[in-house]
Amino acid sequence: MSENQKKILEMLANKKISIDEAYRLLNALKTEAGAPESSTEAGTTGKPKPKYLRVSVQPGSGHEHDDDVERVNVRVPVSLIRSGMKLSSLLPPEAKDKVTGALHEKGIDLDMRNLKPDDLETIIEALNDLEVDVVSRKEVVKVFVEQ
Amino acid sequence: MKRPPMVMRVQIHGKEGKFPLWLPLFLLLPLALLLLIILSPLILIAITILRLRGRGNELSPVVRASLGMLCSVRGIRAAFDVLCSMPGLRVDVRNRNERVYVSII
């Protein structure tokens, strides 16, 4: 029991504060104690920050022993994605236009010129919820993040 | 604290046999630093030329991008950041007869 918790309980015993107030103060202390950990390990949403982006291709059910199916396991550190995006911010506008055009041709509507560092952090935080499962008869493709 | 990768592990298994390789990247880093120091006068000349010629407006965007990234402190720093973010990268592709495994530690 911490010194602050003792003080709150003493104040409650001495009837200086009500039960509700003591409860609120104890809760506030708990939140405060948990804050440093969450600020280092978790993002602004309170979720732990993603560490790795994983892409896995495995044989589907019934094909586990089928050696013709390629097994792919890729683990990309999220920090590498972040650094790569920062590196891309150094591209001159003409090159960004070309990249945007090439992406558009492939059906991806992503404007490289509008990507800001804040957006990048939001995208990386949003990766926490990313989970792609493509299941076919032969293969199972999974894209997910690891904390 | 960010640190550059220390070791790169490459394994290639084929029909002919196995080819495991441990690349000590920490030994290559002093060489890269030495190369950067040797090339720094050339980088400085390239920066000066780019600035005098209006950042090379007549060059193609790709060449401009490459030169711009090479010839700026921000570019070198960003490239070093990418290098430092590489530990943990792992690629494993295999089928019946072959396997390619690359891991950066």
Side-chain angles (χ1 to χ4, degrees):
Chain A
M1 191 185 289
S2 76
E3 203 59 38
N4 287 335
Q5 283 172 323
K6 273 184 190 170
K7 272 183 190 170
I8 293 166
L9 292 175
E10 274 172 17
M11 283 158 76
L12 180 66
N14 296 335
K15 293 182 180 173
K16 284 181 182 172
I17 52 171
S18 67
I19 295 170
D20 281 345
E21 283 170 332
Y23 178 74
R24 261 186 278 142
L25 285 169
L26 285 170
N27 268 344
L29 273 181
K30 254 188 211 172
T31 319
E32 218 172 80
E37 194 186 327
S38 61
S39 64
T40 51
E41 291 292 322
T44 52
T45 52
K47 290 178 183 175
K49 278 187 176 178
K51 268 191 174 174
Y52 300 106
L53 179 71
R54 291 278 310 269
V55 179
S56 147
V57 182
Q58 301 295 333
S61 57
H63 289 267
E64 287 92 351
H65 305 292
D66 191 349
D67 289 330
D68 285 336
V69 181
E70 281 194 343
R71 290 165 169 83
V72 180
N73 227 319
V74 180
R75 190 178 77 171
V76 184
V78 170
S79 56
L80 183 61
I81 300 171
R82 189 182 283 123
S83 309
M85 294 293 276
K86 277 182 189 166
L87 192 67
S88 71
S89 71
L90 297 174
L91 290 172
E94 294 90 343
K96 280 184 183 173
D97 287 346
K98 277 201 165 185
V99 173
T100 305
L103 286 173
H104 189 73
E105 273 175 25
K106 298 275 180 190
I108 303 165
D109 274 331
L110 178 73
D111 197 341
M112 291 284 288
R113 291 162 299 184
N114 294 340
L115 271 181
K116 306 276 182 301
D118 289 345
D119 299 337
L120 180 63
E121 284 308 315
T122 314
I123 292 168
I124 286 169
E125 267 187 33
L127 279 177
N128 254 332
D129 303 321
L130 176 79
E131 202 175 316
V132 179
D133 280 357
V134 182
V135 182
S136 72
R137 203 174 291 172
K138 207 175 175 186
E139 286 172 338
V140 177
V141 181
K142 284 187 177 185
V143 182
F144 57 98
V145 288
E146 258 181 16
Q147 270 91 23
Chain B
M1 192 187 136
K2 280 187 173 181
R3 60 160 182 86
M6 295 287 123
V7 180
M8 185 168 153
R9 191 178 161 205
V10 181
Q11 278 185 322
I12 299 168
H13 296 199
K15 285 173 187 168
E16 294 84 22
K18 290 180 182 178
F19 178 66
L21 183 69
W22 286 79
L23 274 172
L25 297 177
F26 62 92
L27 293 177
L28 298 177
L29 286 170
L31 289 177
L33 188 69
L34 191 71
L35 194 72
L36 192 71
I37 292 167
I38 293 167
L39 288 178
S40 56
L42 293 175
I43 293 173
L44 196 69
I45 292 166
I47 292 171
T48 316
I49 292 170
L50 280 178
R51 287 203 182 272
L52 288 175
R53 297 177 78 172
R55 286 192 166 266
N57 280 335
E58 65 282 2
L59 298 172
S60 76
V62 178
V63 177
R64 273 185 64 193
S66 314
L67 281 173
M69 281 163 78
L70 268 175
C71 303
S72 71
V73 177
R74 274 177 67 206
I76 293 167
R77 197 180 155 184
F80 187 71
D81 269 354
V82 170
L83 191 74
C84 290
S85 308
M86 289 186 92
L89 181 71
R90 201 169 62 194
V91 178
D92 184 9
V93 182
R94 59 181 154 159
N95 63 13
R96 190 196 310 192
N97 303 314
E98 291 158 334
R99 183 185 186 199
V100 178
Y101 177 85
V102 180
S103 171
I104 294 175
I105 302 159

